[in-house]
Structures are given as structure tokens and as C-alpha cells.
Amino acid sequence: MAASAKSFLADAGYGEQELDANSALMELDKGLRSGKLGEQCEAVVRFPRLFQKYPFPILINSAFLKLADVFRVGNNFLRLCVLKVTQQSEKHLEKILNVDEFVKRVFSVIHSNDPVARAITLRMLGSMASIIPERKNAHHSIRQSLDSHDNVEVEAAIFAAANFSAQSKDFAVGICNKISEMIQGLATPVDLKLKLIPILQHMHHDASLASSSRQLLQQLVTSYPSTKMVIVTLHTFTLLAASSLVDIPKQIQLLLQYLKNDPRKAVKRLAIQDLKLLANKTPHTWSRENIQALCESALNTPYDSLKMGMLSVLSTLSGTIAIKQYFSSAPGAAATTARFDLVKLAQECCYHNNRGIAAHGVRILTNISASCQEKDLLPLEQDAVFGLEALLVLCSQDDSPGAQATLKITLTCMVKLVKCRPHLSQSVVESLLTQLHSAQDNARILMCHCLAAIAMQLPVLADGILGDLMDLYKLIGQSATDKKQELLVSLATVIFVSSQKALSTEIKTVIKQQLENASNGWTAYRIARQASRMGNHDMARELYQSLLTQVASEHFYFWLNSLKEFSHAEQCLTGLQEDNYSSALSCIAEALKSYHKGIASLTAASTPLNPLSFQCGFVKLRIDLLQAFSQLICTCNSLKTSPPPAIATTIAMTSGNDLQRCGRISNQMKHSMEEFRNLATRYGDLYQSSFDADSATLRNVELQQQSCLLISHAIEALILDPESASFQEYSSNGTAHVESEYERRMMSVFNHVLEEVESLNRKYAPVSYLHTACLCNAVIALLKVPLSFQRYFFQKLQSTSIKLALSPSPRNPAEPIAVQNNQQLALKVEGVVQHGSKPGLFRKIQSVCLNVSSVLQSKSGQDYKIPIDNMTNEMEQRVEPHNDYFSTQFLLNFVILGTHNITVESSVIDSNGIVWKTGPKTTIFVKSLEDPYSQQVRLQQQQGQPPSQQQQQRTAYSRF
């Protein structure tokens, strides 16, 4: 049975999803009805996997009803299994359609004589609180069970009370007094009080309830000074304040008071933990006095562990708006001492013998340097750099996990500092390179990542540094441990970043030699991938070529072969030279030949599960762009090969179109401009469909789009319409932060081309050789920048997809749904958002936009003249997914008899309000039939043949 259940739960085919879902459910149902307890339990615990695979209400509803039956009649162990399944599948609970029936079956067990059965039922009810928040019978049972004499039942009642309080205002108001009586009652044992107090964190539904709960907690803190009670009460106090928001400043003061005055370390630790929570959640509520008090406590405490905790709170605050409030004090004595304290603390801790404390000290200094630009804070930059260098020396020699964590903080601070203060980059990079030789392997990997991150932002790695890096590379390549492999990739990345113009043959030989000596194929592939990202296509091509014979499946072979061809194509474009247009054409033709081979190989590498749609789209656009560039150069050359005829001026005067005097080139240029605009639109579509792409990949697509727009603008400004061309909207924004060398080079080409076009514009009448030369040189300049294949081309870090289900839906997809033409069709659209391993890594779904349209495919019956509005349906709705599920309905009219094609397309809107066309698109057919009454009337008319239509109409009206 287990094997067959597994086979049913294996990946379903595309067309047979419903059938598979039903068969899987039937298989599990068979297990539930088995006489053996083991098989029943196995069937129960398989349900979460089923819900994950088929997350639509129709299946989830029937599955939960079956589980409720098991809960009602099974033993306590089975009930416990059902409870665990319910808790695991919490986000699917709202898809239960028959909530009353489900609750009735579960609730019947509450009247059992067995306290354990009652306890499991209470926990079950608590787990379902989100769908039954206002069920009075559940509220009553919880209230009753709090008075039980059985400990297990009381604990279950406390769990349920906490869950219901979070969901229901009525329940929270009703239970608050009961809980306060129990907490203050002398008969309640202390361990039970400790479990009851956390319920008060949910009493935030209105101001009066929150206020009374705070008063009770205030009394408890003073009445019960024992360590455990104070810790639980203070933490509940913090959580209540964080939810109700209005009391956060008071809570910060209370926690600081305990931190300063309470001698117990456990209480101090809890106060620090809660202050960290409030620093993350609401940094803007921290006043200068609060930060000052925390600094004083940190300066005065003799314990390193507490000092480290307080510094971690301060380092969190230093990265937020709180630090600006702290330094923007009114000038005066108080201001200077306050300013002095945080800086003094950070400077004191920078060289502390405890690594963690030093890391927080350095982080505070870095954040102050990055966010505060005041004159008297400028010397802190040097303090930050010295502190970072000292920590780097200390941690790079140590292989322990603690040292690695500290090193990560240090390197992150270095990147941040260099980004905000570029003039410090040289000293930071030099200290990194110096330490790279003597550091441990783990530290070296992290340091290489840091170097690459800095070099991507600023061109700080000079060619002189390459020698050192190559020596280190030779040294590492002699052993083949996993760490060494990782280090080879990191070092190669730094080498590629530092020599982005072109790699010398010597460097290529060294890299290949080391890879042959001591590396596996995966390392070579990763290095090739980095070379493709950095634009070193000759190196990448050689590595892909060497890997072709080392892969196990033909899909991988075709994938590597396509990458080899793309690298070769881009390598062909590096030989371009300005003013040499015939060689440019032959280079582009050679590149296109490789690209066409590559796209054929790439198509062969795609599978139904991995269709490589972004990669194919990106490469097809690149091919079309190269063809458009080639066509533009040919068009420019045509001014020489077929100059305007002698009568061109006369034609221009008679047609009233001045451009006609240039001959056929004017029409060709118009076509060329439209082609580039069309390409820009297609790049925009590719951008919109790449919801899961990282920001660097999206920026790359945007740069390709901008290059198309630039060329179309240049054609318009130079040739087609020089008078009305405007350069304002295209002027570059110099302050924008450039993220990579590729972007920096592209932007400089854009600016150069715009300057050239602007200097030629309106000086000479179009079309002269100067104009065509300017356009050709612009094309060559754009192609000379090596294309960067960004991360999303190779690797998908975030994965998001939407599954739609339409009802009514036909049994057979080709079969139409029958509907009468005098009725409306209610189309229900349900959907599930599915995520990969890292949901929301780059962007999150805020809402889903559903677009429904219908088109008449074939008419049946007589052809009446019907208003155009009735022929199509066009509707759009936005729905917000809850627990990754959404549903909505559309009412559609089908007045015209015949077959209609309904298309439902979904797109998503992220948290910034940007629309992404992710799909999917689903189609169903509807057949509009004539209603029986109209049909009967029509038949009678045809048989009786009335004398005159006008007369019949008149008699019909004369009845009224």
C-alpha cells in the first residue's frame, strides 16, 4: 500500500491532475479505513504532502472531513496524528468549505470522559481558531476546561485560549478577567501562572483592554519579584506593547530601568533581548535619552556577555533613523557629552579582546560614518578603517565558526564603508590583499567575495595586483579539498573582475592549468559561469568546450554546447573597430552564425519541467538586435551604393516631404527606427515576465532596452526629424549609483553617443556621410562592450508560479460548456501561489491581477446585427492572496449563439506596485445555446408564416 501511495503522490502529469488528486485521496482513504492502526497512522501523516501537491479547496475540504471522522471515532494516538496534520496544514484551513460539519465532528469528542481526549480536542480547536474565531460553544468549552483538575487538560485549554485571544476580540475581552483572577488567585500553582501570563500578550484588540492588561502586568512585576515571574511578565509586557504600539516608549524606559537597576543577570539578559526586538521593530520610537542610558549601562557593566548584548542593540539602532535623531541634538554641553558617549563606547570596544564586542563596535562606527556627514564626525572614518583592519588580521588567522561569523560582519562593514566613502577604498583593498596570503582557507573565500563586491562598485583593482593574485592561484591549485575548490572559484572571480578589459594568454593558461591539475568539472563550470558574467567570453568558451564531454545527460550537453556557442559569438564581436564598417558586418555575421547554432542547442536543452524560457527569450532578442544593427550599417552604406537620383529634389517638392530628396535611405531609416522601437518593447516584455530575476539581471535587460531606444532616438534626431528632437529626457543622471563594470561601460557609451548626436544635430542637413558614420560608430561602440550573462541566465534563486483552477470546467478540455444565451455564466477562478525554497528573496507578491476576456469563435443560427459590446467580455479584478490562495468570480454574457473562447490570464503586482506578467494563461470554451422559449416561438413563427411582420408587431403591442 505504501508503495502504491508513493506512486500516486509522485509528480503528476500536466493533463491528469484532477484524476491523480482523486486517486491519491482514495488511496489514503483506503488506508484510513484499514483495520491496522499502523496503516491508519501512515495514511494520516501523508495528508500534508497531498495538500501541498493539490492545494485546491475541493480536495482539501473532503480530506479534512475524512480526518475529522478519524478524529471522532479513532483512539487518542490517531487524534494526536490528526492534530499534528492540522497544525502543519494551518494555511490550508480556510479552504474548508463545510466548516460547520468539520467542527461538529471534532467538537463531539469534547464531551468524552477521557481528559486526554478532551485535551487533544481543545488543542485541535485552538489550531482551528483562525476559521472559527467566534464559535461560542468553543469559547465556553475553553473557559470550562480552565477550571479542570487535570493538568493536561488545563494546559491544552491555555493553548486554545491563547490562540482564540489572538483571533477574537470578544473572546479576549471575556477571558481577560478570568485569567487575571487565576493569575492573582492563591490556589493557582506558580508554574500554571507562568503559563497563563503569556496569554495577555494578545489583549491588544482595543485601547482599554490593552491598558487593563498593562496594569495587571505592572502589578505582577512588583508583586512577584522572583526571577522566573519577572522574566515571563516583562517579555509578555514587551510583546503586548509591540502589538498595541502606543506604549512602546514607556516599555523601552521600563526595560532600561531593569537593565540598570536589577542585579540579576538573567533579568538583564531578557531586558537586552526585548530591547533588541523593539530596536528592530520600531527604531523611530527610541529617544536620545534612551540611547544615552543604554550607552551608560554598556560603559559601566563589568560583564562581557552583557556588554556584547547592549552593543548588539546599539549596532542595530546605528543602522536606522535612530542614529540621526541621536546626533541631530541642539548644540550645547549636553549634546557634546551625549555624542561623546556612543562614539567613546564604540572606539573603546573596537580593540576589545572579545571578537564579538569588537565587531559590534566597528559596525557602530561604520554606520555612523556612512549615515552622518557632519564635519566633527569625519575623523571616525579612520577609526572605523583601523578597527576593521585589526579585526581582519585577528579573524583571518582563526578557523573557528565564531571567528568566521565576526569576519563576515567585518567584511560587510568594509563593503558598506567603501560604497559610502569611495576615497577609503584603496587602503581597505590593500589590507585585504595583504592578509589574503596568510589567511585560512575559509577566511580567504570570504575575503575574495568582499574584494569582488568592492571591485564591482569601484575600479580599484589595478593590473599590478594581478601578479599577486596569480601567485596565490598557483599555490592553491595544488590541493583538491572542497574548500580549495570554493577558493579557486572565488579567486578566479576576483581576477575576472580586476581584468575586465581582456585576459592575457598567460592568465588563461594558469587558470586552465590549475583546473586540469586539481579540480572537478563543477568548479570549472562555476569559473566559466563567472567569466560569462564578467564578459571574459574567450576564457568561458574554452572552459565550456573542455566540459562538453564530462556531463552525464544530453540535456546538460546541449546546455553547455549552447553556452560555448554564445561565448564564441560574443568573442567574435570583440574584434570590432571604429570606422571599419565592412569588417563590422562580417564580425556580426560570424556572431549570428554562432548564435543560431547556440539557440538550436539551447532549445534542445529545455525540458517540460525546465523550459528555459528566460534564456531563450534573452538570446532570441540578442539575435534580433544583432540583425537590426547589421541592417542599420547596411542602410548607412546604401548612401554610397545607391545615392539619391537626380530627380529626388523634384519628388520631394511635389510630395511635400523634404526627406524624399535623400532617396530610398529615408524609408529604410524609418523601418530601422521602428524595428529598434519594437525591440525595446520586446525587451520591456521580457523584463516584465522575469518576476524571479535578481536586480542585476533586470538591470542588464534594462540596459539592452535603453541601447535600442538610444539608436532609435539617434536615427530620429539625425535623419528623420532633427527639428523636434529633444535631448532633455535622455540626458544622463550622473548621481545614479552604478552597480557593475558592465553598467559603467554601457552608461559611458550612451553618454558619448548622445554627445556625438547632439553635436551633429541641426548642423548639417540630413542625410550626409557624417550622419551615417555617427550611427555606425554608435552601433560599433555598443557592440564593443562585452555582453554580460547575468546570474538569472544560469541560476534561479527565487521561484514563484501560479496555478489556476476554473469552475465550471469541462471533463474534456476540448469540450465546450453549454450555457443559454439569456443567462449569465458565473466563472469562478481559484488560484494557488507556489514558491521555491526561498520565497520572497527579491520581491513579494502583493496582489494578483486576473484578466478575463472572451472572443466569439464560430456563430450558429441567423446573423443578427448585435451591438459590438455584446460580442466580447473584457473584465479585470485584483485579488490579494491569503496564505498563498485566492479566489474570485466573474459574470459573463453570451448573447450571440455560437462557440466562445474564454481566456483567463494572471499577472502579479509586487509590494512596490509594479505589474509583472508572470502568467499562466488558461482557456476554456463555452457554447451559447438558444433558450427553449425563444426557440419555440421561432419555430411557431416559421411554421405558421404570419401574414405580415409589421401587423404582427402591432397586434402584439395592442394587447397592452
Side-chain angles (χ1 to χ4, degrees), residues 128-383:
M128 290 150 48
S130 58
I131 56 168
I132 51 163
E134 305 300 342
R135 290 287 162 119
K136 295 296 178 251
N137 52 359
H139 293 183
H140 177 68
S141 300
I142 294 167
R143 188 187 289 274
Q144 224 172 4
S145 297
L146 283 170
D147 295 329
S148 168
H149 293 294
D150 184 89
N151 264 353
V152 176
E153 190 177 350
V154 174
E155 282 184 23
I158 291 171
F159 169 81
N163 283 14
F164 271 93
S165 300
Q167 300 288 342
S168 165
K169 180 184 172 182
D170 286 356
F171 181 78
V173 171
I175 204 80
C176 191
N177 292 335
K178 167 93 178 155
I179 284 173
S180 66
E181 281 168 24
M182 285 179 76
I183 291 171
Q184 288 170 314
L186 296 172
T188 315
V190 174
D191 61 332
L192 197 59
K193 287 182 181 179
L194 290 174
K195 286 170 184 162
L196 282 164
I197 291 169
I199 297 178
L200 295 170
Q201 76 191 36
H202 302 298
M203 305 294 166
H204 52 74
H205 297 282
D206 61 27
S208 61
L209 184 64
S211 169
S212 61
S213 302
R214 275 190 75 81
Q215 281 170 3
L216 172 62
L217 287 164
Q218 191 73 58
Q219 285 170 20
L220 289 173
V221 156
T222 45
S223 320
Y224 297 93
S226 71
T227 306
K228 278 186 180 176
M229 281 298 269
V230 169
I231 284 176
V232 171
T233 312
L234 272 181
H235 188 55
T236 307
F237 226 153
T238 305
L239 294 173
L240 178 64
S243 301
S244 57
L245 300 176
V246 285
D247 298 307
I248 290 177
K250 281 186 201 167
Q251 185 60 22
I252 292 171
Q253 281 172 347
L254 179 71
L255 289 168
L256 286 168
Q257 202 177 315
Y258 269 91
L259 182 62
K260 189 177 179 183
N261 302 332
D262 199 300
R264 293 168 291 191
K265 274 181 98 172
V267 175
K268 284 182 189 282
R269 265 199 293 272
L270 177 101
I272 289 169
Q273 182 189 320
D274 283 1
L275 285 168
K276 183 88 184 267
L277 187 147
L278 294 174
N280 277 316
K281 187 170 168 122
T282 54
H284 56 280
T285 56
W286 285 68
S287 66
R288 191 178 304 109
E289 290 71 31
N290 296 152
I291 298 177
Q292 180 61 19
L294 192 55
C295 289
E296 284 168 9
S297 297
L299 282 165
N300 298 333
T301 182
Y303 300 109
D304 278 1
S305 61
L306 294 179
K307 182 174 263 191
M308 189 164 161
M310 293 179 218
L311 277 166
S312 90
V313 178
L314 286 168
S315 77
T316 303
L317 287 169
S318 70
T320 65
I321 188 134
I323 197 75
K324 292 200 172 177
Q325 292 173 351
Y326 179 74
F327 282 118
S328 64
S329 55
T336 51
T337 56
R339 190 173 284 187
F340 182 64
D341 268 359
L342 181 61
V343 175
K344 179 183 165 189
L345 177 67
Q347 287 170 331
E348 210 174 87
C349 295
C350 268
Y351 304 104
H352 200 281
N353 55 7
N354 182 319
R355 272 193 310 258
I357 292 177
H360 286 307
V362 165
R363 194 166 158 200
I364 292 169
L365 283 180
T366 304
N367 285 337
I368 293 172
S369 302
S371 57
C372 304
Q373 305 291 339
E374 283 86 349
K375 282 276 164 61
D376 47 347
L377 290 174
L378 288 178
L380 293 184
E381 290 174 7
Q382 284 308 319
D383 288 347

Side-chain angles (χ1 to χ4, degrees), residues 58 64 180 638 664:
I58 195 155
F64 268 115
S180 66
S638 74
R664 62 195 283 272

Side-chain angles (χ1 to χ4, degrees), residues 845-849 878-887:
I845 293 180
Q846 184 76 32
S847 57
V848 177
C849 182
R878 287 189 178 188
V879 279
E880 284 194 20
H882 188 248
N883 285 333
D884 292 337
Y885 170 75
F886 58 88
S887 87

Side-chain angles (χ1 to χ4, degrees), residues 51-111:
F51 297 155
Q52 221 175 350
K53 199 139 189 60
Y54 309 108
F56 287 104
I58 195 155
L59 179 126
I60 282 167
N61 183 55
S62 52
F64 268 115
L65 289 176
K66 287 180 195 301
L67 287 173
D69 270 335
V70 172
F71 191 88
R72 184 165 54 94
V73 297
N75 60 20
N76 282 348
F77 183 65
L78 270 175
R79 285 179 185 136
L80 194 64
C81 290
V82 173
L83 169 65
K84 292 289 178 198
V85 166
T86 309
Q87 287 176 339
Q88 271 182 37
S89 313
E90 198 178 344
K91 71 176 194 176
H92 298 299
L93 286 174
E94 64 186 38
K95 297 174 199 166
I96 299 173
L97 307 171
N98 305 12
V99 176
D100 292 346
E101 186 58 36
F102 179 59
V103 175
K104 192 167 82 179
R105 293 179 193 183
V106 169
F107 196 74
S108 60
V109 187
I110 203 83
H111 305 299

Side-chain angles (χ1 to χ4, degrees), residues 45 204 219 259 267 321 341 545 574 594 682 748 773 782 800 825 827 836 840 846 882 951:
V45 297
H204 52 74
Q219 285 170 20
L259 182 62
V267 175
I321 188 134
D341 268 359
Q545 176 73 54
T574 51
S594 287
R682 284 170 59 199
S748 72
L782 284 170
T800 315
L825 173 72
L827 180 71
Q846 184 76 32
H882 188 248
Q951 194 180 343

